[in-house]
Amino acid sequence: MSAKTPIGRLLADPEARAAINKRFPVLLQSKAVKSGMADRMTLRSLQRFKPKIFSDASLAAIDADFAQMANN
């Protein structure tokens, strides 16, 4: 999993969902996510809409979180 994985797939995984909630809690509250409209989008694709939230640094951090999950 990575910031290039579709959001719907990330949210279906409890560990990935927890990582997203930790780094981007506002995302889980958005109408697009709650309705499923964002399921096919990626965290990386959200950067163009909310660059301050989904900065290169924050996306690198969540990618590190996902990599650590894969190694456990």
Side-chain angles (χ1 to χ4, degrees), residues 1-40:
M1 292 193 194
S2 74
K4 293 181 180 180
T5 302
I7 291 170
R9 184 169 165 218
L10 292 173
L11 295 180
D13 181 284
E15 284 185 290
R17 185 182 190 92
I20 290 170
N21 190 48
K22 175 184 163 192
R23 302 260 179 210
F24 310 113
V26 69
L27 180 66
L28 297 180
Q29 302 305 315
S30 77
K31 289 180 184 180
V33 169
K34 286 182 175 183
S35 70
M37 289 180 1
D39 283 356
R40 297 169 99 193

